[in-house]
Amino acid sequence: MKRSTLSHSLLNIILVFIESALTLLLRLDPELRKAAYPLAKQDTVVALRLYLPHVEVFASFSTKGVLLDAQLPVGRSEPDVVINAYSIQVINAITTHDSETTEKLQMRGESNQVQLVKQFIVQLGFGTLIQSLIKKIKGANDKPKPSESEMAEKKENYKLRINEQQTQINTLTIKNRELETTVKELQSKQKMLTIVTATALIIMMGSIVALIIN
């Protein structure tokens, strides 16, 4: 019982890794996405029955990708396509783009869906994943360096931007000083007005008092 549980757990781990690799392949390879699209559109379920070791895996094609499980998906009573083969045959088929190797796999199901599955397997190749990653890495490292004229142009643009920013800063500084001067002038005028008003009030009060005494 423990041995069976361990085998089932190990199978699930392997399926998770393979499913992740398939997801990555579908993102990197547009031709593989084209091959998977009609299968996903029909919600195709493929049963993969392997010998040596004896394992049964179900691949469900959907818009989310290719989902792998050790059990038939819920709501399905039987798969659309059944593949019977030795493990080494399947490994050879999915690691190469050899149509003859794929044709040797025993498949049962509706002829159109069987043909679509074959096209998907032929297009599938984990070597493509490695090649795509290498191309992406090379593409990132092989970006052409800018020429001297381009570098000079960039430097000139940077200088122009710096000069523009410096001009803006100078303009803002001048405006700030003008505002400070205006505020000081207003404060000075306010003081003078206050003094004049107070003086006028004192004179007026003095005049009133003088009139009352006389």
Side-chain angles (χ1 to χ4, degrees):
M1 191 65 155
K2 290 184 179 179
R3 185 178 300 175
S4 175
T5 304
L6 179 62
S7 298
H8 184 71
S9 300
L10 181 60
L11 176 61
N12 286 334
I13 293 173
I14 294 172
L15 291 181
V16 168
F17 278 109
I18 296 176
E19 188 175 296
S20 300
L22 282 172
T23 301
L24 187 57
L25 273 173
L26 287 169
R27 289 180 181 177
L28 295 175
D29 191 347
E31 294 300 323
L32 184 61
R33 287 198 300 271
K34 289 181 182 179
Y37 177 75
L39 294 170
K41 191 175 181 181
Q42 299 176 24
D43 294 323
T44 305
V45 176
V46 178
L48 188 60
R49 293 173 183 170
L50 303 178
Y51 306 104
L52 297 176
H54 180 73
V55 176
E56 187 172 28
V57 177
F58 296 93
S60 303
F61 289 80
S62 69
T63 53
K64 297 179 180 179
V66 183
L67 307 179
L68 302 179
D69 200 345
Q71 298 179 347
L72 193 66
V74 178
R76 296 295 301 267
S77 58
E78 60 181 13
D80 299 296
V81 178
V82 178
I83 301 176
N84 295 288
Y86 288 97
S87 299
I88 189 65
Q89 289 178 302
V90 175
I91 292 173
N92 288 336
I94 65 176
T95 54
T96 64
H97 297 286
D98 187 9
S99 58
E100 292 184 2
T101 304
T102 303
E103 288 294 336
K104 292 179 182 179
L105 300 177
Q106 296 181 8
M107 297 189 188
R108 291 189 291 106
E110 197 270 324
S111 59
N112 182 49
Q113 287 187 318
V114 168
Q115 190 60 34
L116 290 174
V117 171
K118 287 181 179 179
Q119 290 175 2
F120 178 80
I121 294 175
V122 170
Q123 186 60 43
L124 177 64
F126 282 98
T128 305
L129 175 60
I130 298 174
Q131 292 175 2
S132 299
L133 291 174
I134 291 175
K135 286 181 181 179
K136 284 187 174 292
I137 293 172
K138 284 186 175 180
N141 294 331
D142 294 342
K143 289 182 178 179
K145 295 181 179 180
S147 62
E148 292 183 2
S149 60
E150 290 175 342
M151 289 294 294
E153 185 178 355
K154 286 183 178 180
K155 288 181 180 179
E156 189 64 29
N157 290 334
Y158 288 145
K159 287 181 181 179
L160 290 174
R161 289 181 184 178
I162 292 172
N163 291 335
E164 289 176 359
Q165 291 176 354
Q166 188 62 48
T167 302
Q168 292 175 356
I169 291 171
N170 293 338
T171 302
L172 290 174
T173 301
I174 293 171
K175 287 184 178 180
N176 187 42
R177 289 176 180 174
E178 290 176 352
L179 288 174
E180 288 179 353
T181 302
T182 303
V183 170
K184 288 180 180 179
E185 290 177 353
L186 290 174
Q187 289 176 344
S188 178
K189 288 179 180 180
Q190 186 178 5
K191 287 181 181 179
M192 290 296 297
L193 182 61
T194 301
I195 293 170
V196 170
T197 302
T199 302
L201 286 173
I202 291 171
I203 294 172
M204 186 177 64
M205 290 294 294
S207 299
I208 292 172
V209 171
L211 291 171
I212 293 174
I213 293 175
N214 292 333

